[in-house]
Amino acid sequence: MIRKLLIASATVLLTSAIGVSSAWAATHEVFMYNKNPDNKKERMVFVPALLKIELGDTVKFISKSKGHNSQSDKKAIPEGAENWKSKIGKDFEVTYTIDGTYSYYCTPHRSLGMVGLILVGDYKVNYDDVKASKQKGKAKKVFAKLYEQVEAME
Ligand SMILES: [Cu+2]
């Protein structure tokens, strides 16, 4: 009898541990600025432009200056992942449930280099594809720096 009860309560404990596991998922913040407060020479930026997170985590894009948004690059996100596009000047949240590398940009300022990368869990599944994706102008330069940072942390 006691033994059965112990098994039953162990099952309840296990079930509740699984149930609350999503509460451990973190929320990260990416700020959208006209000028980077840490480096005033950098204009039209996501801060941080490179973010490494766990599967199930959420990223909150926060508008600190007017006129920005966040849009995924539909050609440079993992297979099966959903695209996102936020409204200009509004905060926006994305929860990442598929491993991979996500490339994104600000719709009005992509050519000015307002771009970013989010690495989710096992991000290498499509990292090379994202790195090979075609970029123009200043975006190309900013991405080159971000890829350097990614490869430096390996
Ligand atoms: Cu912008």
Side-chain angles (χ1 to χ4, degrees):
M1 182 64 189
I2 287 170
R3 198 189 159 120
K4 262 189 188 167
L5 267 177
L6 278 175
I7 291 167
S9 41
T11 309
V12 168
L13 278 175
L14 190 64
T15 312
S16 49
I18 292 165
V20 297
S21 68
S22 65
W24 301 335
T27 297
H28 308 265
E29 294 176 326
V30 171
F31 298 101
M32 304 183 273
Y33 285 112
N34 289 349
K35 277 186 195 172
N36 184 348
D38 301 324
N39 180 359
K40 295 260 162 71
K41 285 181 188 165
E42 279 183 24
R43 287 166 183 271
M44 311 302 173
V45 283
F46 291 104
V47 180
L50 174 63
L51 200 56
K52 192 170 185 292
I53 67 173
E54 300 297 327
L55 193 63
D57 284 1
T58 295
V59 174
K60 194 170 180 183
F61 296 93
I62 300 170
S63 215
K64 296 296 264 187
S65 318
K66 283 182 187 171
H68 306 290
N69 78 335
S70 168
Q71 176 175 2
S72 58
D73 180 349
K74 60 177 189 272
K75 293 176 191 159
I77 60 172
E79 210 177 306
E82 269 184 55
N83 281 297
W84 73 85
K85 184 178 182 180
S86 71
K87 291 204 171 90
I88 303 276
K90 300 281 183 204
D91 295 352
F92 191 72
E93 276 186 16
V94 182
T95 299
Y96 295 88
T97 56
I98 293 179
D99 283 318
T101 302
Y102 293 74
S103 175
Y104 68 95
Y105 54 92
C106 168
T107 314
H109 302 123
R110 186 181 196 177
S111 61
L112 297 179
M114 188 162 175
V115 297
L117 277 183
I118 295 169
L119 310 176
V120 180
D122 181 16
Y123 68 90
K124 289 184 184 173
V125 290
N126 68 329
Y127 177 77
D128 291 340
D129 297 338
V130 171
K131 196 179 169 185
S133 70
K134 215 174 171 191
Q135 300 293 339
K136 292 178 196 164
K138 196 161 178 220
K140 198 172 175 176
K141 284 185 188 166
V142 174
F143 275 123
K145 275 188 192 165
L146 297 179
Y147 297 133
E148 254 176 47
Q149 282 178 45
V150 173
E151 285 154 35
M153 70 190 187
E154 278 167 5

